[in-house]
Amino acid sequence: MEAGTTAGAWVLVLSLWGTVVGGQNLTAQIGKPLVLNCKGAPRKPPQQLEWKLNTGRTEAWKVLSPQGDPWDSVARVLPNGSLLLPAIGIQDEGTFRCRARSRKGKEIKSNYQVRVYQIPGKPEIVDPASELKAGVPNKVGTCVSEGGYPAGTLSWHLDGKPLIPDGKGVSVKEETRRHPETGLFTLQSELMVTPAREGAPHPTFSCSFIPGLPRRRALHRALHTAPIRLSVRGEHRGPDPVPLEEIQLVVEPEGAAVAPGGTVTLTCKASTQPPPQIHWIKDGTPLPLPPSPVLLLPEVGPQDQGTYSCVATHPSHGPQESRAVSISIIETGEEGPTAGSVGGPGLGTLALALGILGGLGAAALLIGVIVWQRWRRQGKERKAPENREEEEDERAELNQSEEPEAAQSSAGGP
């Protein structure tokens, strides 16, 4: 019976050989078996050795030996003198000592300081923001890590670089809770940032969990959340959009009359950056056209007459409307163009001046005609008496010439 028990114990020792440790400090994963080697102890009984434990389960040193009974399911001494902990837990952290005497009578002591760990699940960012507003504090989100031991730490990163809280533009609110039964930790870290107006338009945030363990590469590897990429509203202010008076509406051809069938080009000019979106209005009604700084009216007809203006919309400001210009059709006849204009106030002034000059010319012509008619009438009245005298002289000469002829004709009669 004893031989079978001894063989079974040795099989267990061989199966756990990979976790047998002879160093001074040891880190073991919670729930896994752990074997501590007692240096100098004979491999087979009889053995003179003693294990002493001071852990979270004991109020004082607990003594275990090969001849004694196992300590419940917590620990027992194997046939080779090693100490087996089948499933190490948080309460098993502490000091383990072994004192053994070799067959030659030499006493050898072993001393272990045991710590345990549990790697939590992958952290995640809960309740993330949809966007950030420049110049004011914004909550980015809350990073959560559950089920770790020891507690560890959470850290934030911006565009892959560590984000250090400064209490001004970056602040972090942390909370640590411990499960009353398992003893495992839950960490929370809430990040608040105030994006600069000239900062990156689409910052990327991530969070990492760093285990609270000695810096062994296999155990101290950080766990990272999936990154979140946010947009910053109002991030690039740049130069302010130009005020209303600097939005110009230019009409081509300038100062020229356009007959039916001609072409009119309206151009809305704004020097602001980034360029605003331009929409067009006719007679107070928005035109159903895609945004464009140029409005082309080919083959102008009566339906194109009206008052036009453009509206510039900038991302950081409301819509701004330009001055209005009126477009009308030029009517043509046999004697050339008549009243009509295409343009704004400048062309209207030109048309008014031309109208005044035309009126003055017509008045001068009328006055000239009246003066000429009066002069002609007076000239006729002066010539009337002279003509009468000439007619009387001609009649007298005619009578004188007729009298001799009458006398000759009477003298030569029968």
Side-chain angles (χ1 to χ4, degrees):
M1 185 67 179
E2 292 181 0
T5 303
T6 303
W10 275 109
V11 171
L12 177 61
V13 170
L14 292 175
S15 66
L16 298 174
W17 184 256
T19 60
V20 174
V21 183
Q24 297 297 318
N25 297 306
L26 177 63
T27 302
Q29 187 174 0
I30 294 174
K32 300 294 184 179
L34 176 66
V35 174
L36 301 177
N37 185 25
C38 184
K39 297 179 182 179
R43 293 293 181 181
K44 298 179 180 180
Q47 299 161 323
Q48 294 183 9
L49 61 88
E50 179 183 74
W51 280 96
K52 297 178 66 176
L53 292 67
N54 188 5
T55 67
R57 298 180 187 271
T58 63
E59 297 180 358
W61 288 96
K62 176 72 174 178
V63 179
L64 295 177
S65 64
Q67 295 79 20
D69 296 329
W71 184 18
D72 298 330
S73 61
V74 177
R76 68 175 181 269
V77 180
L78 298 177
N80 67 346
S82 298
L83 182 66
L84 170 64
L85 288 82
I88 193 168
I90 295 176
Q91 292 182 329
D92 295 317
E93 287 188 318
T95 303
F96 296 77
R97 295 176 180 176
C98 179
R99 184 176 62 180
R101 187 176 298 274
S102 67
R103 297 193 187 279
K104 295 181 180 181
K106 184 178 179 181
E107 186 176 277
I108 301 176
K109 295 181 180 180
S110 303
N111 188 27
Y112 299 95
Q113 193 69 33
V114 176
R115 295 185 61 185
V116 299
Y117 72 92
Q118 181 65 43
I119 298 176
K122 187 176 181 180
E124 61 177 344
I125 299 176
V126 300
D127 192 22
S130 58
E131 68 174 4
L132 304 177
K133 185 177 181 181
V136 298
N138 299 260
K139 177 183 174 182
V140 175
T142 302
C143 182
V144 179
S145 173
E146 296 180 332
Y149 186 89
T153 57
L154 293 174
S155 61
W156 286 90
H157 299 266
L158 172 60
D159 295 330
K161 298 180 180 180
L163 194 57
I164 308 301
D166 56 9
K168 298 178 181 178
V170 179
S171 62
V172 174
K173 181 181 178 181
E174 297 181 338
E175 181 181 354
T176 302
R177 299 193 307 269
R178 190 171 185 180
H179 195 280
E181 297 179 1
T182 63
L184 302 180
F185 289 95
T186 296
L187 305 181
Q188 290 187 356
S189 178
E190 180 183 284
L191 176 63
M192 298 286 293
V193 298
T194 303
R197 296 185 184 276
E198 298 79 16
H202 300 286
T204 300
F205 296 89
S206 62
C207 177
S208 300
F209 170 80
I210 302 175
L213 297 169
R215 292 186 175 274
R216 292 174 55 187
R217 181 174 299 178
L219 301 179
H220 203 266
R221 185 168 50 192
L223 301 176
H224 306 283
T225 65
I228 59 173
R229 190 168 185 261
L230 303 178
S231 298
V232 179
R233 180 160 50 93
E235 64 277 12
H236 286 290
R237 293 191 63 188
D240 291 334
V242 293
L244 177 62
E245 58 270 20
E246 294 187 22
I247 296 180
Q248 300 178 356
L249 180 55
V250 180
V251 184
E252 294 181 2
E254 181 179 1
V258 178
T263 299
V264 176
T265 302
L266 303 174
T267 304
C268 193
K269 296 182 177 181
S271 59
T272 182
Q273 292 296 330
Q277 283 194 340
I278 304 298
H279 298 271
W280 294 92
I281 294 179
K282 177 187 177 184
D283 297 331
T285 302
L287 295 177
L289 301 173
S292 174
V294 178
L295 177 61
L296 182 64
L297 302 177
E299 300 182 1
V300 174
Q303 71 278 4
D304 297 313
Q305 295 186 106
T307 301
Y308 290 78
S309 63
C310 64
V311 177
T313 303
H314 193 273
S316 300
H317 286 67
Q320 303 180 41
E321 187 174 356
S322 72
R323 65 181 179 88
V325 297
S326 60
I327 294 179
S328 58
I329 304 301
I330 301 300
E331 299 295 340
T332 58
E334 294 181 358
E335 298 180 357
T338 59
S341 64
V342 176
L347 296 181
T349 302
L350 178 62
L352 179 61
L354 293 176
I356 294 174
L357 292 176
L360 293 176
L365 179 61
L366 180 61
I367 293 173
V369 171
I370 295 174
V371 172
W372 178 76
Q373 289 180 349
R374 288 183 179 179
W375 177 81
R376 182 179 179 184
R377 187 179 303 166
Q378 292 176 357
K380 289 181 178 181
E381 291 177 354
R382 293 194 189 104
K383 291 181 179 180
E386 296 177 357
N387 292 337
R388 291 174 185 174
E389 293 177 357
E390 291 177 357
E391 290 177 357
E392 291 178 355
D393 293 339
E394 290 178 357
R395 290 176 181 175
E397 292 176 358
L398 181 61
N399 293 333
Q400 290 177 1
S401 60
E402 289 179 353
E403 289 178 358
E405 290 179 359
Q408 290 177 5
S409 61
S410 59

